[in-house]
Amino acid sequence: MNTQPYPIPENELERLAALKRYNILDTLPDNAFDDATKLVSYICGVPIAHISFIDASRQWFKSEIGIGVSEVPREISFCQYTIMETKMVEINDTFLNEQFKDDPNVTGGFKIRFYAGIPLTTPDGYNIGTLCAIDHETKELDENQRNALSIVAKHVINQLELRTKNIELAAQKKIADRAVLAKDSFLANMSHEIRTPLNAIIGFTDLLAQTKLDTVQHDYIDSVQIAGENLLLIINDILDLSKIESGNLTIESEPFNLKKTLKQVYKLLKVKVSNDIEFNLFLDADMPEHVIGDQGRLNQILVNLVGNALKFTEEGDVTVSVKMLEETEDYYSLKFSVKDTGIGIPEEKLKTIFERFTQAEESTTRRFGGTGLGLSIVKQLIELQHGELQVKSKVGRGSEFFFVLNYKKSDYIETKTEAAAGESLGKLRILLCEDNVLNQKLAKSVIHNFGFDLDIAENGEIGIELLSKKSYDVVLMDLQMPVKDGYQTTEYIRNEMKLTLPIIAMTAHSLIGEQERCYEAGMNAYVPKPFKQAMLLDAIKTALNPENIPTRRRKVDLSFIDETACGDQNFKKEIINLFIEKIPVDVANLKEAFSRDDYDAVKRLTHNMKSSLDMFMLADLSNCLSVIEAEALLERFTAMGEDEINTLESGIVDVVKYLIEVQ
């Protein structure tokens, strides 16, 4: 026997399962549903309209006008009967309806005189909710109004379907993001292992270059330095793949000597040229000396293209040429070409050679080596600089790769610089936290070269012990160390020891966002390995100058907003804009109410603001509101409450700045 006080559809269990599948109950307001409800109210000319969903025990309103509550018990709803039907239920006058004339919401409550409800039916045939128009007066809908309600009901179901698909896509995206993070971590760790010895090679070569050498030795050292830097670029190729995919690879815009760069590439690669190959560099007579652009990326592109040309040419010639195509008031337009008389590329392969891990022939890797990454990266680097890599080739006759880049004009004047020195900083006391013996030795030579004193700690724990016994001016902090890593050590120094001395991160780790993470942990500057002496000295000067210490911006955790939005970027943007517009005003009103001892206003404002701050995961600022609210409940404001308001105010300013930037 059915003991339920309301009618139960025959497929109730399946119906409830269908409703649960949409995961719509108890969700936040949504513009798409609110707009549909407004449309129903407008079309039917009624003061009450709603979109609701009916579970086992209640009718929950996703969107409503004129009701004012979020849910009602299922047994007192009109809609418990609507979901039993396959078409619209229209009651023109409830006073004349035997089933509803004595209903509490007819005789009182919402004073329902007219009711029109249409079931919200899923694609597989389950009535999970209703779309309703309600009035306090008798009414009869015309055919156009009924058709319009049916269309809106279908729109609501389409929104649910779209929302479900977005949730599924978001879940898949999370899985993909975790895979990307795992890949990035692997690549970063691998690069760290390679960069650590490379740091020593480049560093000691840099020190050797500052000793007394004859002309030939200087020439050799220059070649080693160029080779080391280009090796670093090759290592970065793998990391560049990850950065390009994530949109985090940036193109620099700095003055550099274009002719010198091209000649260095030529000089570096010439040592690999066999006697059977003529290697040429032709530079346009009108070509500028200095330009503004990304020297490292141009170097990377040319080393890759020329290296390929030399690798695939056994006899004949390889020619690098640069020609100025156009000069405007602000830019030079330059055409770069790398031409060879090598093995050539079959015509059917020309469209695929720029794809990752692809080479013209399967035998190419076995015969000539290489992974097939180079051309893919080169193509994307050129495109990031608004150029296009093109190729012309014939099998057995050779290939030509060419592209055009625009460089800004530069008024830079190159001056000869002497070896870095730190005499102007005095006799600084430096603590180095570093576990790699080679890097310790290199740093010791560099720091002593600056004229500073240096102590070395093999891990963070030893570093903390030294800091507790001795005073230092600067800490150089490696991020990856045993016992205590750089982040743990920095947090201990800042939070437990309460020391404010400058800490400079030094790392061969290369995860995207690493620098920002260092600043958030409490470090003052960041030097990537391999480092140049001048770079390290500049970082020390920067860290010692309070005016140059980077401010650590507050970052906002938007994960709850992202989860709620389910991929709807318009919804996310609207929530962020509401926060930006509303919360600073609320803070100003709170400050004013606090100053005039308006306890009720403070209680109301703090209570309303806490939910908004919690949505944006701002736990520290929400705690400020809790303290202020507690004082309002006691009706006694103190200096502590005033401090909390000031903290809240400055925190909200930072949050708003961040939210404006991420939009």
Side-chain angles (χ1 to χ4, degrees), residues 577-621:
N577 284 334
L578 279 172
F579 186 98
I580 292 170
E581 292 170 10
K582 183 176 182 297
I583 298 302
V585 175
D586 286 348
V587 172
N589 291 337
L590 177 65
K591 195 171 183 180
E592 184 183 350
F594 186 93
S595 66
R596 64 172 188 266
D597 292 340
D598 188 341
Y599 303 115
D600 289 336
V602 169
K603 283 185 282 188
R604 185 181 69 255
L605 285 164
T606 52
H607 180 76
N608 291 338
M609 287 172 63
K610 277 167 80 174
S611 59
S612 298
L613 267 57
D614 290 341
M615 282 178 64
F616 286 80
M617 315 289 276
L618 301 169
D620 58 329
L621 300 183

Side-chain angles (χ1 to χ4, degrees), residues 170-182:
Q172 293 299 320
K173 183 178 181 297
K174 283 184 179 180
I175 294 171
D177 286 345
R178 283 196 291 268
V180 169
L181 181 60

Side-chain angles (χ1 to χ4, degrees), residues 432-433 474-479 486-487 490 502-508 514-515 517-519 521-529 531 535-536 539 543:
L432 171 69
C433 295
V474 178
V475 176
L476 303 180
M477 185 72 71
D478 183 40
L479 297 185
Y487 293 112
T490 300
I503 300 175
I504 300 173
M506 295 178 66
T507 180
E514 193 81 62
Q515 186 169 352
R517 186 183 171 196
C518 288
Y519 291 151
M523 301 181 204
N524 306 90
Y526 178 93
V527 177
K529 297 175 185 175
F531 64 84
M535 184 191 300
L536 177 58

Side-chain angles (χ1 to χ4, degrees), residues 9 28 86 211 270 315 334 356 456 531 592:
L28 291 171
T86 57
T211 62
K270 188 172 175 62
E315 60 180 2
L334 302 171
R356 196 174 303 166
I456 297 173
F531 64 84
E592 184 183 350

Side-chain angles (χ1 to χ4, degrees), residues 175-195:
I175 294 171
D177 286 345
R178 283 196 291 268
V180 169
L181 181 60
K183 180 197 71 176
D184 286 349
S185 297
F186 169 75
L187 293 176
N189 286 326
M190 183 180 70
S191 76
H192 179 273
E193 296 305 314
I194 300 172
R195 284 167 183 255

Side-chain angles (χ1 to χ4, degrees), residues 472-522:
Y472 293 95
D473 297 302
V474 178
V475 176
L476 303 180
M477 185 72 71
D478 183 40
L479 297 185
Q480 286 194 324
M481 295 182 293
V483 188
K484 263 186 170 41
D485 65 22
Y487 293 112
Q488 294 167 331
T489 306
T490 300
E491 288 170 5
Y492 189 90
I493 292 169
R494 295 297 189 226
N495 300 329
E496 302 298 327
M497 302 180 77
K498 306 296 183 185
L499 297 179
T500 59
L501 80 166
I503 300 175
I504 300 173
M506 295 178 66
T507 180
H509 217 272
S510 192
L511 269 175
I512 294 166
E514 193 81 62
Q515 186 169 352
E516 185 65 32
R517 186 183 171 196
C518 288
Y519 291 151
E520 288 174 2

